[in-house]
Amino acid sequence: MYKLTEEGKKYLEEGIPEKRLFELLEEAKEVDVDELSRDMENSSIAINWALKGGWIEVDEGRVRLVEEPDGFSTQEALERVGSDGKVSDEDRKILLDRNLIKEIREDVVKQAKKQLKQDKISNLTPELIKTGLWRRAEFKEYDTSKTGKAVYPGRKHILTNYVDKIRDVFLEMGFEEAGGPYVESSFWNMDALFIPQDHPAREMQDTFYMKSPKKTKLPKGGLVKSVKGMHEEGDGEAEGWGYSWMEDVAKKPVLRTHTTAVSARKLAEIEPPAKIFSIDRVFRNETMDYSHLPEFMQVEGIVVDEDVSFSNLLGYLKEFYKKLGFEKIRFRPGYFPYTEMSVEPEIYFEERDEWLEMGGAGIFRPEVTRPMGIDVPVLAWGLGLERLPMIKEDIDDIRNFYYENNLKMLKEARI
Amino acid sequence: MAVVSFDIEELEELTGKKLKKKVLKNKVTMMGCDFEGFENGEVSYEVFPDRPDMLSAEGFARALRYFLGKDEGLRVYETEESDIEVEKEKSVDSVRPYISAAVISNLDLDESALTSLMQVQEKIHKTLGRERTKVAIGIHDMDRVEAPFTYKGVKPEDVEFTPLQSDEKMNLREIGKKHPKGNYVRIIEGNKKWPIIVDKNNRILSFPPVINGKLTEVTENTKNIFIDVTGTDQKAVDQALNIVVTSLAERGGKIKTVSVDGVDKPDLDPKEMEVDLDYVNSLLGLDLSEKNFTELIRSVGFGYSDGEVKVPAYRTDVMHPIDIVEDVAISYGYENFEAVVPDVPGIGIPRKGEELAGKLREIMIGFGFQEVRSTVLTNKNKQFGRMEMDEEDVAEMENPLTEEYSICRKYILPGLMEVLGQNKHRSYPQKIFEIGDVIVTDGKTETGAKNKRKIAGLLCDERVNYVDMASVVDALMKIFDHGLELRKYDSSMYMDGRAGQIIIDGEPAGFVGEIHPEVLENWELEKPVVAFEIDVEVIGKERNQF
């Protein structure tokens, strides 16, 4: 079976190019080649075929009719192509040569014909399209008010959306992103933050201690000695805790309880000014319930510079939440062993008509920064993350994020 | 964390002010404590560890009076010298070496005063006292015993007395076994001699840090109180004593000093601390004059003259001028600060590896995979047992609350299997992935273990097979311009002949395969699963992403 190509259809309708050229020359006798190519489609094809037929001549850019052509066999062959796709051997040669028809394979035709035999056809198929037999088909109509089975795109986890957004906010504000190990030494997690070695936060019910690895190494250089000194007797200006600090306690590995450990490591490394943030997991040995997990995310940040102040700390917190779309923020005094002032920022959630605590912030105590060689104020915050999407997406159980990974919820979450 | 409840009427009496619920809920927290709730005419707050002086109703009311403007300036506590002595014997040095004591006379204790006294004692034990290991307080009816007192160590079987909450005479060892407070014996158990306090006539007042004797039980009829504070840290012992005696002084009690080995306790002289006004202003971002500063600091109970701040005896938390700056800030009101973003230079630089993780995430999502997040915390059965894998070295916790979460994951895939288990009733196909850190133990690192970033994905449906996932891995590698080789891999986690080890540019980087039906049964899954897990660091190597 044969079917007209796009070109074949066009020629059948408008006449083949050389025929149209003849009709033009019959009247004008002579035309300019450039004018012709401007005015007539496919003029070069027409000129070629006319030259082959020997009924024109081209001289100094002008086309002149020499004699009357004896018919247009291609045109005639085109007109003879039937609606059933049958073509004589002679016509086939002419038309295939000029790419005016294409062959449809027998098996395709067979399949299309078979499909046509159905009473009402449900699917439009490649066979029906290729053969053009769709013209004879009668298709079933659908109930277009129906959408069918639910489909889901692949998506980011809800928390990832928030992490990405928060990363963008900090990067845009000129903060460098930092990270640190989950298995951390007590030294970086606590001692470097001036948390005394008998502090309740170190007790077993809050902190995961490790059976393996058994021990960590303390940093080289003078830092350990300065930290020890600060805990034991202060540094003249500060009083210190007044107890005997033990290396072995500081060497105990823990699962980091806060990303403040990341800040502590960075503080020992950097020179002011610096702006650093981190978003990652932390671990607490707590009983799990709808609002508590032994593992959750923290958003950490520090700003280290000569003249930064408490007012600036509040400024950063306010700006951060504003960029996340939370306009109403207030600050309450808080307590953390390593900051003074300490502040608990609270956000107003319209969804709940309630102020909710977002985490902690403050200025690192000089007892924390001085052993690290930092003599300027360090603004710091460690904020919760899960609470934001929980309220915004109306998720009432924090376990849905990690422990259940409710695929329906994740797939259907609104943007 | 210490949550303390106060009778609202009592607080009103002690402050001399009507306290509306709204004020108690919102305003009071601005002086530095967390509101917890109302119940039966009581209000509860979480008192922060730096303010043990607020653990008693009297101390809380004192802070409240300043905060609400009823009081201002330094509170000085007068003490009267007495001839009461405590002698400390060397026998306590190795078990509980420090003791301080005081006497309060002229008391008129009602029921609520007694309750408050018990509460502050209990809360100090919990916080400052570290569950009595560091500090324990004993409170006695002074009129039942006779000074001088002796603090000494004795063999636990050598003495007996009737403890509080009992009618039976017991020796110290028996108290440890039978008495409701006997569990505190663990604190001193390891020593041959256990500490007691006796009076002139060798009558036992107390067996610190466990229990007092019934002999000196304090009742509403008690007029004069003897307080002992014992512990392992002289500073903490003195702090606890100061907090208790100043609390009782707020009830009208007269404080009398007790000489402990020749040193008079308590020492209630205000501590002096030099504070530079420029330091205060620059740290707070304020421009306070000396007059402003003086007003602010006086209105929270400090004294000030000539560059020196006088710290009241109950404010045991002040150990650096910055502690005074915080009180200035609270006095000024956190709500009154202007929140200003300063101009601190800096360039936004993402953490190494984050950009790569973002790209991997984008591609997996493009393949139609849903991102999930499973926990780093897990257990050996999930990581290895159910996966039919041999146990490997992992980071393992010493004190997990439950066995359920007792190690850190080394592989992400088991977490994804768990997600499938939780979503069996939801629609298929289920295509999920996770990018995250696992923990690998490594003795060469500083902490003995390191984070390692991995990506894992799995596909679960009626009909899935090896190539469904191998083709995804292949596409991933092509996008990151890596040569991928899949080597035949035998593992009981995967079906025989249906798993490949992923080799990226010659380096082993992970696995892809059809999960063995044995493993599916372990997870109670009923549809086939194909999965992969790849070391992201190998993918990122040439891109300088790790």
Side-chain angles (χ1 to χ4, degrees):
Chain A
M1 174 178 177
Y2 293 87
K3 212 177 131 186
L4 292 181
T5 62
E6 271 314 293
E7 206 178 2
K9 271 187 215 158
K10 191 175 157 74
Y11 289 178
L12 182 62
E13 216 170 273
E14 295 171 1
I16 58 172
E18 62 268 31
K19 183 163 179 253
R20 281 185 283 128
L21 177 64
F22 169 69
E23 282 158 7
L24 194 128
L25 286 175
E26 236 185 345
E27 227 167 81
K29 302 296 175 214
E30 191 179 305
V31 289
D32 188 81
V33 173
D34 292 340
E35 257 171 58
L36 191 66
S37 71
R38 202 175 53 226
D39 297 342
M40 195 187 133
E41 217 184 327
N42 297 323
S43 63
S44 53
I45 296 175
I47 290 169
N48 274 339
W49 285 100
L51 281 171
K52 248 188 218 174
W55 45 270
I56 60 160
E57 62 174 22
V58 182
D59 185 29
E60 289 183 356
R62 295 191 72 80
V63 179
R64 219 168 288 124
L65 187 65
V66 185
E67 58 175 39
E68 198 148 314
D70 50 351
F72 295 95
S73 57
T74 308
Q75 184 76 36
E76 286 150 19
L78 257 183
E79 281 161 11
R80 280 195 295 273
V81 176
S83 61
D84 56 358
K86 280 191 181 135
V87 181
S88 70
D89 289 352
E90 197 183 332
D91 287 352
R92 178 164 63 233
K93 196 180 171 319
I94 297 169
L95 294 173
L96 276 178
D97 215 30
R98 287 187 68 173
N99 206 19
L100 299 180
I101 57 169
K102 62 182 174 198
E103 188 182 359
I104 310 295
R105 289 199 333 258
E106 257 332 286
D107 58 326
V108 174
V109 178
K110 234 188 214 161
Q111 275 188 50
K113 282 188 175 157
K114 201 168 138 202
Q115 288 162 11
L116 269 185
K117 280 187 193 136
Q118 299 168 50
D119 199 14
K120 282 213 174 173
I121 299 174
S122 43
N123 292 321
L124 178 61
T125 62
E127 294 79 27
L128 288 173
I129 298 167
K130 273 187 203 159
T131 55
L133 289 175
W134 57 267
R135 289 189 174 77
R136 296 199 222 148
E138 196 183 335
F139 293 98
K140 248 184 221 162
E141 284 186 9
Y142 292 148
D143 176 356
T144 51
S145 66
K146 299 274 193 302
T147 56
K149 196 182 157 201
V151 291
Y152 299 101
R155 298 182 70 180
K156 280 184 194 174
H157 192 280
I158 295 171
L159 279 183
T160 306
N161 286 326
Y162 281 79
V163 171
D164 285 356
K165 172 78 187 158
I166 291 169
R167 288 184 72 240
D168 286 349
V169 167
F170 280 123
L171 291 172
E172 192 188 295
M173 287 168 85
F175 283 68
E176 181 192 332
E177 188 177 16
Y182 293 167
V183 175
E184 184 56 281
S185 63
S186 295
F187 181 81
W188 288 114
N189 195 68
M190 295 177 263
D191 295 277
L193 294 168
F194 196 56
I195 301 176
Q197 292 190 327
D198 71 344
H199 194 275
R202 297 210 193 206
E203 275 167 26
M204 302 289 258
Q205 62 263 36
D206 294 305
T207 307
F208 281 113
Y209 287 91
M210 308 304 291
K211 194 191 280 177
S212 162
K214 281 204 161 46
K215 228 179 200 181
T216 65
K217 297 182 187 101
L218 295 184
K220 295 215 167 63
L223 180 60
V224 173
K225 210 178 146 208
S226 328
V227 168
K228 178 182 160 81
M230 194 53 97
H231 278 248
E232 291 187 339
E233 57 201 15
D235 65 349
E237 189 180 283
E239 267 180 29
W241 291 116
Y243 72 101
S244 165
W245 186 86
M246 284 178 289
E247 244 182 39
D248 277 348
V249 175
K251 278 182 181 168
K252 279 191 193 165
V254 299
L255 285 183
R256 69 172 179 209
T257 54
H258 48 193
T259 41
T260 317
V262 175
S263 293
R265 281 177 177 276
K266 286 305 272 189
L267 272 183
E269 221 173 76
I270 50 131
E271 294 279 332
K275 291 191 285 188
I276 294 156
F277 80 101
S278 163
I279 312 171
D280 211 341
R281 302 196 200 211
V282 298
F283 307 86
R284 305 263 169 97
N285 202 2
E286 286 184 324
T287 315
M288 187 163 80
D289 63 29
Y290 74 97
S291 67
H292 288 90
L293 293 179
E295 174 178 346
F296 53 95
M297 300 286 281
Q298 215 167 45
V299 178
E300 177 82 13
I302 51 171
V303 176
V304 192
D305 197 14
E306 190 116 32
D307 292 319
V308 290
S309 67
F310 185 60
S311 146
N312 297 148
L313 172 68
L314 305 187
Y316 276 113
L317 291 168
K318 193 173 177 184
E319 181 73 7
F320 169 70
Y321 281 110
K322 195 174 154 194
K323 282 179 190 262
L324 288 181
F326 300 94
E327 296 279 347
K328 281 170 92 173
I329 182 168
R330 70 179 186 191
F331 302 103
R332 287 197 310 105
Y335 170 78
F336 309 100
Y338 39 90
T339 54
E340 190 88 10
M341 293 37 69
S342 301
V343 51
E344 292 175 359
E346 291 185 332
I347 296 291
Y348 178 75
F349 288 90
E350 233 161 80
E351 290 85 345
R352 301 228 179 141
D353 185 24
E354 222 180 331
W355 291 91
L356 293 175
E357 190 189 317
M358 286 294 112
I363 299 182
F364 276 142
R365 296 188 65 96
E367 291 97 326
V368 174
T369 57
R370 288 166 69 119
M372 299 185 183
I374 304 258
D375 260 330
V376 301
V378 177
L379 315 179
W381 53 87
L383 308 169
L385 175 70
E386 284 86 353
R387 212 165 199 186
L388 299 178
M390 274 181 82
I391 294 166
K392 283 282 154 197
E393 323 290 338
D394 201 20
I395 296 163
D396 52 13
D397 193 329
I398 191 168
R399 286 170 290 199
N400 274 332
F401 287 135
Y402 301 93
Y403 290 85
E404 201 201 348
N405 272 286
N406 180 334
L407 289 182
K408 187 172 157 67
M409 176 193 93
L410 292 176
K411 286 170 169 179
E412 294 179 353
R414 303 289 174 259
I415 283 181
Chain B
M1 196 175 86
V3 175
V4 194
S5 301
F6 305 112
D7 186 278
I8 295 173
E9 276 178 27
E10 195 194 356
L11 274 188
E12 287 178 334
E13 207 174 292
L14 289 165
T15 51
K17 247 192 135 123
K18 197 97 188 103
L19 300 168
K20 288 194 185 123
K21 281 199 166 183
K22 214 171 139 186
V23 170
L24 289 171
K25 186 177 175 185
N26 295 317
K27 200 168 171 205
V28 169
T29 62
M30 293 307 285
M31 76 177 186
C33 58
D34 282 346
F35 171 81
E36 295 287 328
F38 294 113
E39 203 178 352
N40 303 330
E42 292 193 335
V43 57
S44 310
Y45 295 99
E46 183 196 338
V47 170
F48 299 145
D50 62 336
R51 292 299 301 271
D53 60 294
M54 280 162 53
L55 291 169
S56 68
E58 299 81 9
F60 197 87
R62 176 176 53 208
L64 214 46
R65 278 202 309 271
Y66 284 115
F67 187 71
L68 299 173
K70 283 281 280 185
D71 255 353
E72 65 159 358
L74 181 71
R75 179 103 163 77
V76 180
Y77 295 89
E78 302 294 342
T79 57
E80 196 180 298
E81 251 179 71
S82 76
D83 49 9
I84 301 164
E85 287 178 11
V86 171
E87 189 201 340
K88 190 179 79 177
E89 287 188 3
K90 280 213 167 340
S91 50
V92 292
D93 283 357
S94 60
V95 51
R96 201 166 176 83
Y98 302 106
I99 183 166
S100 287
V103 168
I104 314 284
S105 58
N106 241 15
L107 281 165
D108 181 15
L109 298 169
D110 57 6
E111 198 194 324
S112 61
L114 275 180
T115 313
S116 172
L117 192 56
M118 296 305 131
Q119 175 161 286
V120 66
Q121 187 184 4
E122 183 207 320
K123 297 295 174 184
I124 288 179
H125 283 163
K126 256 200 159 66
T127 53
L128 196 61
R130 310 287 195 253
E131 296 292 348
R132 304 193 191 188
T133 53
K134 199 174 182 181
V135 171
I137 302 164
I139 295 170
H140 312 273
D141 189 332
M142 178 70 192
D143 300 326
R144 313 289 293 274
V145 283
E146 243 183 290
F149 302 102
T150 308
Y151 178 47
K152 62 180 181 183
V154 293
K155 286 192 187 144
E157 288 83 7
D158 283 1
V159 297
E160 55 175 26
F161 70 104
T162 311
L164 282 174
Q165 300 160 42
S166 172
D167 293 317
E168 199 188 329
K169 269 196 166 185
M170 296 181 235
N171 70 35
L172 306 187
R173 178 105 37 211
E174 286 167 337
I175 288 174
K177 287 193 179 120
K178 288 194 241 167
H179 196 272
K181 301 283 179 194
N183 60 324
Y184 288 106
V185 161
R186 68 175 188 277
I187 297 168
I188 40 104
E189 203 168 26
N191 294 275
K192 274 206 191 97
K193 291 189 169 180
W194 295 3
I196 55 168
I197 301 169
V198 296
D199 80 342
K200 185 183 174 188
N201 307 311
N202 225 15
R203 287 180 296 184
I204 297 176
L205 280 74
S206 177
F207 166 29
V210 184
I211 191 81
N212 283 353
K214 196 151 193 166
L215 174 69
T216 54
E217 184 169 11
V218 174
T219 66
E220 287 182 36
N221 301 320
T222 303
K223 296 282 169 252
N224 302 296
I225 280 180
F226 174 75
I227 303 168
D228 78 81
V229 183
T230 59
T232 55
D233 180 326
Q234 183 70 60
K235 194 169 160 183
V237 164
D238 288 339
Q239 287 178 345
L241 183 66
N242 283 8
I243 288 164
V244 177
V245 299
T246 57
S247 254
L248 285 168
E250 298 292 331
R251 293 258 178 204
K254 278 208 161 61
I255 305 166
K256 289 183 177 169
T257 58
V258 170
S259 160
V260 178
D261 278 353
V263 182
D264 279 353
K265 302 280 178 179
D267 174 6
L268 298 178
D269 287 342
K271 182 159 73 181
E272 289 187 351
M273 195 172 254
E274 224 174 282
V275 177
D276 176 8
L277 187 57
D278 287 343
Y279 174 70
V280 177
N281 276 328
S282 97
L283 209 50
L284 292 180
L286 295 177
D287 190 17
L288 302 171
S289 66
E290 193 166 3
K291 188 165 169 279
N292 294 147
F293 172 77
T294 312
E295 278 167 16
L296 288 170
I297 199 74
R298 279 180 58 79
S299 78
V300 281
F302 291 80
Y304 177 78
S305 60
D306 305 325
E308 296 242 313
V309 171
K310 291 188 177 58
V311 183
Y314 56 87
R315 285 300 301 272
T316 55
D317 60 302
V318 176
M319 54 200 289
H320 186 279
I322 197 157
D323 295 302
I324 289 166
V325 180
E326 182 179 70
D327 277 276
V328 175
I330 288 173
S331 180
Y332 186 81
Y334 278 20
E335 67 277 26
N336 297 321
F337 277 87
E338 223 185 313
V340 183
V341 179
D343 194 10
V344 177
I347 299 166
I349 305 169
R351 185 183 172 196
K352 244 183 186 187
E354 288 305 323
E355 205 186 327
L356 177 63
K359 282 175 185 157
L360 282 166
R361 195 175 280 125
E362 184 188 316
I363 292 162
M364 290 308 291
I365 288 167
F367 281 129
F369 285 74
Q370 168 67 46
E371 185 186 20
V372 299
R373 282 172 176 252
S374 54
T375 52
V376 167
L377 303 181
T378 181
N379 59 55
K380 283 183 178 168
N381 181 38
K382 284 181 185 170
Q383 277 281 298
F384 304 112
R386 289 197 198 173
M387 300 307 286
E388 298 289 329
M389 276 174 79
D390 292 336
E391 250 179 48
E392 298 176 14
D393 270 348
V394 286
E396 186 173 359
M397 284 92 87
E398 185 188 340
N399 60 326
L401 271 183
T402 66
E403 268 310 301
E404 185 72 8
Y405 303 108
S406 51
I407 66 165
C408 295
R409 68 179 177 193
K410 193 177 176 186
Y411 298 97
I412 293 180
L413 202 47
L416 299 189
M417 297 292 285
E418 193 171 10
V419 172
L420 285 188
Q422 286 153 343
N423 287 280
K424 266 160 50 175
H425 56 293
R426 302 212 164 89
S427 70
Y428 286 85
Q430 291 184 354
K431 299 162 81 174
I432 57 176
F433 78 102
E434 177 170 357
I435 300 177
D437 285 2
V438 302
I439 303 297
V440 179
T441 50
D442 180 351
K444 281 183 294 229
T445 61
E446 182 193 334
T447 60
K450 62 182 180 192
N451 283 36
K452 194 169 186 172
R453 185 148 294 179
K454 292 196 146 203
I455 179 169
L458 57 77
L459 168 55
C460 175
D461 203 358
E462 296 290 323
R463 277 180 182 67
V464 293
N465 65 41
Y466 176 74
V467 293
D468 292 331
M469 206 49 125
S471 58
V472 170
V473 172
D474 182 44
L476 262 182
M477 291 311 119
K478 279 186 179 132
I479 291 166
F480 284 95
D481 203 17
H482 285 301
L484 170 70
E485 183 195 335
L486 288 169
R487 251 178 231 162
K488 187 170 182 300
Y489 177 63
D490 290 322
S491 151
S492 40
M493 186 176 136
Y494 298 108
M495 290 175 75
D496 291 346
R498 296 197 184 181
Q501 183 178 27
I502 296 169
I503 313 282
I504 298 174
D505 298 332
E507 192 173 338
F511 305 99
V512 53
E514 255 184 89
I515 301 291
H516 199 284
E518 191 79 47
V519 175
L520 297 180
E521 274 183 13
N522 293 343
W523 288 99
E524 292 179 22
L525 296 174
E526 286 147 7
K527 291 183 178 28
V529 174
V530 280
F532 75 88
E533 176 148 353
I534 307 178
D535 192 341
V536 171
E537 295 174 25
V538 181
I539 301 177
K541 216 163 219 178
E542 276 171 32
R543 316 184 83 82
N544 190 27
Q545 280 279 337
F546 276 95

